[in-house]
Amino acid sequence: MPAATAALSRRRLMARVELAGSAVCFGLMAILARKLTLPGAGFTAGHLAVLRFVVGALVSLAAFRLLPGLYWPSNYRLLVTRGLSGGAVVVLYFYALAHMPAGEAGILYNVFPVIAVVMSLFLFRERPTIHLWLAVLAASLGVVLVLGQGHAGLSLGRGGVAALAAAVFAATSANAIRAARHTENAATIFFYFCLAGLPVVLPFALDPWPRLTGGFGIWGLGVLMSLLAYGGQLLMSEAYGTLSVSEAAVWLQLLPIVQFLLAVPLLGERATGFGLAGVLITVAGVAYGTAFGHRRRA
């Protein structure tokens, strides 16, 4: 029993590190997506969504070629469901980033971990502890302060509606990943995410694409954005194999924090005292949930 408990503790620690790494990857991805959809860059939200899926699928096929036992699908219906909902998330979130500041898009999109926890109550009969609920609420409050910068509200508009819709689909995807991790590995889940998500985003990429000639730098940033998305998705899916949806929700609050901290130097978005206070509250919430949030085994 002591050996099994120690092994479980190590797996949980590794899963938390994976979610922290996932937040860094997704934060950088959002920054690049915002830069690539600014006027004059040449990419639309649909372009970036298609590029992300194509690059992800090619990298996955290369990984399957190098590691033959890595591709092992089982529950095709669940894999396709995750892919379709994930495709909707990608195109909606990129659309939001193209039509509103990255900070505001992040605050609206980041309600998805809370929605995912509520869904998990019915789908998996998860019973988060009161400490975990408090951690989720504290971390969410910190995110609101960080991204709201002390303002009373946000103007929705087309970008805001898209960000909220992306949050609902992201919560669905989170629970689908959690369910799929019982039978599928993270690499297989990601491959079907790209495969099933590509037809969803293709109709939104019919505008003329940027030319390759003279624009290699822009295309290089687009490929880098796609590789960061690949890393973020893989790390997140791997973590869901160990952590519950509710505990993962606490750590997912780090994503907008990373996005906020990167947007200040890279996009020139301003920070205030409310933002810095929000960072401290979010980090405190994550620490509290990590220390006291999980149920002790007998």
Side-chain angles (χ1 to χ4, degrees), residues 219-244:
W219 277 90
L221 288 178
V223 172
L224 177 59
M225 179 218 69
S226 304
L227 292 175
L228 287 167
Y230 173 82
Q233 284 288 345
L234 212 62
L235 289 170
M236 184 178 69
S237 297
E238 194 66 39
Y240 270 119
T242 302
L243 301 180
S244 65

Side-chain angles (χ1 to χ4, degrees), residues 284-295:
V286 171
Y288 179 81
T290 301
F292 302 105
H294 61 278
R295 296 183 182 276

